Structures are given as C-alpha cells and as structure tokens.
Amino acid sequence: MEIKEQVRFDPYVPPKLGDNIVDSIVGWGRKYSIFMYPFVTACCGMEYMSVASSHYDIDRFGAGLPRFSPRMADVLMVVGTVNHKLAPILKRIYDQMCEPKWVISFGACASVGGPYDNYAVLQGIDRIIPVDIYIPGCPPRPEAVLDGLMKLHKKIQNQKHELF
Amino acid sequence: MTNEELQIKFKERFPDFAESCIIDKGHIVAEIPLEHMELTLTTLKDDSEFDFKMYMDFTVVDWMERKPRFDLVYHLYSVEKNHRIRIKVGITESQSAPTMSGLWPVADWHEREMFDLYGVKFSGHPNLKRILLYDSFKGHPLRKDYPVTKRQPRIESTFPTRDSQYQEKDLKIHRGD
C-alpha cells in the first residue's frame, strides 16, 4: 500500500498499467510549475488579479509566477476582449513562446467575442491561435478560473510529452 | 449665466441664427450653417460674454436620407461663467468642415476619431488619419450604410468562421425580408 502511494504522482490521475511512466513524471513536473503570460486587455483583468492574489491564491496550483515575457512562459492566458487591431500582436506573442505551450481563453470575450458582435472585435481567439481551455463567464468567478486551471492540469498530466 | 440669459445674449450677438437657437430639455441648442461655423465658434470662445474656453465633446450624427447628411455637434462649456451650449452644423458627404484644432487643441483627436468612424473631412487639420481603426480598414463603420455584419479581419482565420455562415441570414433580418 505504501509503495503504491509513492509511485502515484498525481492524486487526481494515478498512473495506470501501460502508461508511459516518463510522460507521467514529466507531466506531473510541468503541470505544477506553470509560468503564465497574462495577456490582459479588459475588465476580466480585475478577476485575474483576484485569482492571483492571496484570497484565492493561484500559487496553490503552481501557477503563481506570471512572466512578463512570452519567451519565459508556458501558458498564454488571454484575459479580455481582443479586437482585430490587436489580433496580429496576439498571434506574434503566441509564436514567440517556446514549446511546450498551452493557451487559456479567459472569459466570454476571448472565447467567442462576448457581447461585442461588431466590426471591431475578434469573435474568439481560436480564430487565430489554438486554445486548450475555455473559461466561460463575464467575467468568470475565481472558482471557475481555478476549475479551468485544474482541467489544464489534467490535460498536461495525460498528454504525451516530447522531451528531445 | 442662466440658459435664458445666454439665449438672449446669443440672439443679440448672432441675429442671423436667432430662430434656430432654442432651449431643448434644459440645454441651449443652436444650428449654424457651415460657412459661418468658424467665425461663430471663434466668437463664442474669445468673446468675454460667452467665454466658452472648454471644448467638452464633439460628435457626428448620420441622418442617412436627410440633406445635408451629417450633423456636427459641438458641446461647449464655460468654466468661468458655468454655462453650456450645443452647436449643430449640417454638412454633406462631399463638403469638408474647418478644423477647430487651432482654437481648442483637443479638437485634433476628436476630429480624427470622427474622420475615422464617419468619414467626415476637416480642412486644415494637421494630421488627418485614422486614430482608432487600423490603416487597412475600408470604409467608415458608424455610417448607417455600413453593413452590420461586415468584418475585416487582419489575419485570415484558420477555422470556418461564424461570419460567413451567418452573414446572408443576418442581412436578411436586417433588411426585413
């Protein structure tokens, strides 16, 4: 029983027979050391600050250190409305990030354009870059953000990791 | 100065536009033809009786079928005397309005914004180009004849977009077919 506890790297997703143990270990390491790049453009940023500060404390999930350079970041968190004028900048920031990288779309505007269906606003960032996790809400509650982060953990844990 | 006093002063000073000067919902509104606009606004600013030193807001209204098509709407305020006035100037698509950026420097960006969104031209403006939208944007989105569902993305989408599916249907709804 004690030996079984030792090889269990993730309390949510224990490795099963036939799992690649290297992927499992690397996934465990990567999911608990997320370096985020917050691409904050609008009011959802207030909710991001709430998640990041001590009451909800994103650091409990290993994502407490935002890096303000895309070259140092693993996760691009797009927080708020992205309009057509800004779209090439977002695309360029995504291209600057090193592999492995993931994208979280935070809030209704980043996911589908939100209430702004007009000439100026991009109708969802998945039109220009691939998105891993969508967090709904206008703006989302901090609990929803933490839930999205845990889903990203699950995804990183279960995916295949290219080491070389 | 109260609205009534200001109205009387305005009518004395500009007898040509006296009929157009009314009090609408507690606010003085005056309509002025385009060719007298520059002189009138200069007088309103520099005359110590009016003393409209503050340029509060500038907008444009698109009336589509009316002639002239656009209304330039100036909101002026006097900090010293605590009174306000709203000036409306009709203008067609082909005309260009004199710039007010020499009188109130803040008018520079207001006029660029209105040029960007409505396509109204201003003669004598130091730097008349788009301020909010990107340079490759075609047309002026706040005009009534700009299609509601028209999109001009700068990056080609890699996914099938909602615009292409919905555009025809939305236009039918918009036209009332």
Side-chain angles (χ1 to χ4, degrees), chain B residues 68-93:
Chain B
R69 178 171 173 180
F70 299 106
D71 258 348
L72 314 178
V73 187
Y74 294 88
H75 291 94
L76 306 177
Y77 176 62
S78 165
V79 183
E80 283 288 314
K81 301 198 160 38
N82 190 24
H83 55 214
R84 294 161 196 277
I85 195 166
R86 183 189 298 148
I87 305 289
K88 287 187 183 176
V89 183
I91 184 171
T92 62
E93 278 174 86

Side-chain angles (χ1 to χ4, degrees), chain B residues 22-95:
Chain B
I22 52 166
I23 297 184
D24 182 23
K25 299 184 182 67
H27 208 120
I28 294 196
V29 187
E31 287 185 28
I32 288 169
L34 184 63
E35 55 270 24
H36 298 289
M37 173 190 137
E38 192 163 18
L39 192 62
T40 314
L41 287 180
T42 313
T43 315
L44 285 175
K45 188 196 173 193
D46 293 339
D47 195 311
S48 58
E49 279 186 19
F50 297 111
D51 196 43
F52 288 108
K53 289 280 188 288
M54 193 166 167
Y55 180 96
M56 298 219 46
D57 198 8
F58 171 52
T59 55
V60 171
V61 184
D62 181 5
W63 292 99
M64 190 74 179
E65 275 93 23
R66 199 192 73 172
K67 291 230 179 333
R69 178 171 173 180
F70 299 106
D71 258 348
L72 314 178
V73 187
Y74 294 88
H75 291 94
L76 306 177
Y77 176 62
S78 165
V79 183
E80 283 288 314
K81 301 198 160 38
N82 190 24
H83 55 214
R84 294 161 196 277
I85 195 166
R86 183 189 298 148
I87 305 289
K88 287 187 183 176
V89 183
I91 184 171
T92 62
E93 278 174 86
S94 52
Q95 285 174 315

Side-chain angles (χ1 to χ4, degrees), chain A residues 84-85 117-118 123 126, chain B residues 132 134 151 154 159 162:
Chain A
H84 289 307
K85 196 175 184 179
D117 190 1
N118 60 22
Q123 300 296 298
D126 53 7
Chain B
L132 293 173
Y134 34 100
R151 301 287 182 271
R154 294 173 77 192
F159 296 75
R162 248 185 336 140

Side-chain angles (χ1 to χ4, degrees), chain B residues 8 12 18 31 33-34 38 40-41 45 51 53-54 72 89-90 99 107 122 125 131 135 139-140 145 150 153 158 167:
Chain B
I8 292 165
E12 281 172 5
E31 287 185 28
L34 184 63
E38 192 163 18
T40 314
L41 287 180
K45 188 196 173 193
D51 196 43
K53 289 280 188 288
M54 193 166 167
L72 314 178
V89 183
T99 178
F122 296 91
H125 192 281
I131 188 169
D135 289 333
H140 304 283
D145 53 3
K150 190 175 176 190
T158 47
Q167 200 156 20

